[in-house]
Amino acid sequence: MIWLEDFIERALGNGGHLSKLVQGYIPRAPQVLIASKVGQALEEGRHLMAEAGTGTGKSLGYLIPAAQWAVANKKTVVVCTHTIPLMTQIVNIELPRVQQILKMENHNLKYQLVKGKAHYACYKKLEGLWQESLRSNSQESKMIQRIFTKVSKEKIADRAAFGFDIDDPLWNRISASSCPAIKKPDNCMIEDLKEKMQKAHIIVTNHAFFFSDLIMRKKTGNGSLPPYDAVIFDEAHELEDVCCNIFEKEVNLNKFEQLFDFFFKREALNDLDKSLQLELTQLRQSFSQKLDQLYAAVGKEMENKAFKLVNEKIDVSEVCSILGDFIERAKSLKMKGVSDALDRLFESNDDLDFIGENAKKSWAYWATVRGRGDVSLHAAPLFPKAVLANGLFDKVPVVLASATISTNGTFSFFAGRCGVKEYDSLMVGSPFDYEKKTMIICPDDAPEPDSPAFLDYAAEKLQEVLMYSGGRMLVLFTSFDAMNQVARKFQQHCIDRGYTLLVQFPGCDRENIILQLKTNPRTIVLGCTSFWTGVDVAGDALTTLVIVKLPFPQPNEPLIQAQIALIEKANRNSFVDYMFPKMMIKLKQGFGRLNRSVKCQGAVIILDSRMRSKRYGKTVLKSLPKCKYSERLEDIVQILPV
């Protein structure tokens, strides 16, 4: 493909298009290689697994050939990210540059960002609230008028683009997650977005929206996204968790009650004869009674456990049949404005039937109990392969890109779980000088991680680390409980010495925490879950990364238990085939939080004694970038920047 090589040279080579747009640009061989492999995969309609270390220019590397291919062939490429910062970077920085590059090639690139409906304002709802607000002088009315001005005059609909905060209760009243209009008005923001997507060569979205769209596409043949010709997943290491979470089915009494309430509040119901209203009400009561009995029986078998895997069929035929009768009867009455409510009831009934059948071996089934008798039934795919092999990978070429999707130098584990059988591969290392600028320290005095003394040890060790680092520290945990215990033990020490200790909590403003780490050197952040990925703090603002425990999957989660049971049923080793590879992918993500630019320098401290006591500790070290190594914390002074 000489034309492709020539184009990439014109775009990324010495004196090329990008050098005219970015002052001081120097061509990067890894970026050129990424662009070549992505372009080739798209041209040949093949899947590509691409691992590219931090600093390789990965996103621009895949966007340039994808844009050229899409424009030249009148195709549509969907680019999916997991985190908002990367999505923002692609839309606000990378794609405008790619657009300029293609202009130099006499091509006009069109691209569009798209999120779930809940992120956009509904003009119909907003207009109604605006008219009401004109009769009031309250703070909320002023905010509504301010929002209405932005939407009507500047055509802004995305919540993130307003430039000011909108409280959740107000936003929920105006969001486009559900629209009261039977016929879409001419100024509907969602319809406008659909038109823009139809014309776009590149559509940027997140993993969750893409998989939600894929579910719709599998069920109905159509989705919110227009037909697409290729998909690029950046941050692909997150694909498995997001996919299995989005495809999870959950049904409980509360969900059905809410759906019934939604239906019975519709105005069309008041136009029916009283006898018909009574008939529908009796069907609802009959269904709720039978479902209550079913869930009570399931709850009785739980034996006070928070969750229990369900390995046998649950007879839901009578319950599903009654709800089916309700839906059919309601449809026969030809009421206006109830189709969405009936569709959601039908979908939940379908989910209940699916869970009850317990038929798919590639899915996990379980029951949970919250509070007193609040039982839920669940089903989720054990791995993305169960839902992606047919419907995505068999339809279009897919590029899976990340800094951390290989294990032991191959993509076999990740590809197998995703359901990709044939693919091209690419591994590009980071240009960072890890040997000179990074030290891994595994202290030789650490107790076993499951020891009662471990959390006290962790808190004391953080005090010692702080003495050397003076702040600029991120500490990663594998459980909120352990993190909060250590935070309580560590907090007073930080207060007494004038340090700012920030601890992640559910619903916290993650970006604000990261901003404080960037701007205040006397900051220590304790994070869990999402802080293992996407934290991008370059330079000397972060010099010390502490990993408290190796991030093995937690066996107290239903899906993890089901994974282990499936592997062991096949007489395979669940540690080798699942636990260790999953741990390594997450550990490499956590490790990558320290080195974000060529100016970064510091230490990664792993407090888990298994790094020294277990045979696999050496494998872990070999899988990480080659760095200086020590088992003495005081050696940190050799690596911390002055």
Side-chain angles (χ1 to χ4, degrees), residues 153-181:
K153 291 187 177 179
E154 299 179 37
K155 304 302 178 187
I156 289 173
D158 185 347
R159 183 179 184 179
F162 280 97
F164 49 83
D165 291 335
I166 304 170
D167 291 339
D168 288 343
L170 174 57
W171 181 259
N172 292 338
R173 290 161 65 194
I174 62 173
S175 87
S177 53
S178 62
C179 178

Side-chain angles (χ1 to χ4, degrees), residues 607-633:
L607 299 182
D608 197 320
S609 62
R610 290 173 292 186
M611 287 291 292
R612 294 176 297 98
S613 64
K614 300 293 185 183
R615 195 180 304 172
Y616 59 73
K618 291 182 180 177
T619 306
V620 172
L621 287 174
K622 284 181 182 177
S623 300
L624 296 173
K626 191 174 181 182
C627 307
K628 293 185 178 77
Y629 176 79
S630 175
E631 294 183 356
R632 291 158 26 98
L633 184 58

Side-chain angles (χ1 to χ4, degrees), residues 146-158:
R146 189 179 179 192
I147 296 169
F148 186 76
T149 301
K150 280 276 188 182
V151 171
S152 56
K153 291 187 177 179
E154 299 179 37
K155 304 302 178 187
I156 289 173
D158 185 347

Side-chain angles (χ1 to χ4, degrees), residues 56-299:
T56 53
K58 167 169 52 73
S59 54
L60 207 55
Y62 62 67
L63 286 171
I64 287 173
Q68 166 70 11
W69 179 77
V71 173
N73 298 285
K74 296 181 180 177
K75 302 286 189 183
T76 301
V77 178
V78 178
V79 176
C80 304
T81 76
H82 178 64
T83 60
I84 291 173
L86 180 57
M87 181 190 289
T88 304
Q89 176 188 323
I90 286 172
V91 173
N92 294 344
I93 300 173
E94 311 286 30
L95 279 173
R97 285 176 180 167
V98 177
Q99 194 174 51
Q100 288 295 108
I101 288 170
L102 289 197
K103 269 187 182 176
M104 297 175 192
E105 295 278 321
N106 298 314
H107 289 312
N108 182 24
L109 171 69
K110 294 179 181 178
Y111 58 88
Q112 181 60 47
L113 170 67
V114 61
K115 307 174 186 176
K117 287 182 179 180
H119 290 273
Y120 299 97
C122 170
Y123 191 89
K124 183 81 173 173
K125 288 181 181 178
L126 180 59
E127 187 178 38
L129 278 179
W130 172 71
Q131 289 175 346
E132 291 176 18
S133 74
L134 296 175
R135 298 189 293 271
S136 169
N137 198 35
S138 68
Q139 287 300 116
E140 182 177 83
S141 295
K142 290 177 182 176
M143 175 60 79
I144 292 167
Q145 291 167 35
R146 189 179 179 192
I147 296 169
F148 186 76
T149 301
K150 280 276 188 182
V151 171
S152 56
K153 291 187 177 179
E154 299 179 37
K155 304 302 178 187
I156 289 173
D158 185 347
R159 183 179 184 179
F162 280 97
F164 49 83
D165 291 335
I166 304 170
D167 291 339
D168 288 343
L170 174 57
W171 181 259
N172 292 338
R173 290 161 65 194
I174 62 173
S175 87
S177 53
S178 62
C179 178
I182 295 171
K183 182 183 178 183
K184 299 294 183 186
D186 293 337
N187 49 13
C188 175
M189 301 295 177
I190 298 298
E191 292 301 306
D192 182 52
L193 184 63
K194 285 180 182 177
E195 285 185 28
K196 289 176 179 175
M197 281 195 288
Q198 292 288 346
K199 298 173 183 176
H201 300 104
I202 291 184
I203 296 171
V204 182
T205 188
N206 58 39
H207 293 183
F209 182 83
F210 179 84
F211 291 128
S212 297
D213 181 82
L214 190 61
I215 291 173
M216 199 188 313
R217 200 172 292 271
K218 279 172 167 272
K219 285 182 178 177
T220 66
N222 295 300
S224 299
L225 293 170
Y228 44 81
D229 305 287
V231 182
I232 298 174
F233 289 103
D234 203 338
E235 302 178 305
H237 54 275
E238 298 284 0
L239 183 147
E240 178 171 348
D241 289 344
V242 176
C243 176
C244 293
N245 181 51
I246 293 294
F247 274 84
E248 180 184 331
K249 301 174 186 289
E250 178 182 0
V251 287
N252 56 37
L253 286 170
N254 289 335
K255 182 175 183 179
F256 281 112
E257 286 303 311
Q258 287 168 6
L259 291 175
F260 275 124
D261 287 344
F262 185 57
F263 173 84
F264 278 92
K265 285 177 181 175
R266 292 303 170 99
E267 290 181 13
L269 205 71
N270 298 325
D271 298 332
L272 295 178
D273 291 340
K274 294 294 182 185
S275 60
L276 292 175
Q277 291 183 32
L278 180 61
E279 182 184 349
L280 290 173
T281 301
Q282 287 174 337
L283 279 170
R284 171 187 178 172
Q285 289 172 345
S286 178
F287 169 81
S288 297
Q289 184 181 13
K290 292 293 183 184
L291 187 65
D292 194 26
Q293 292 171 0
L294 172 73
Y295 275 52
V298 172

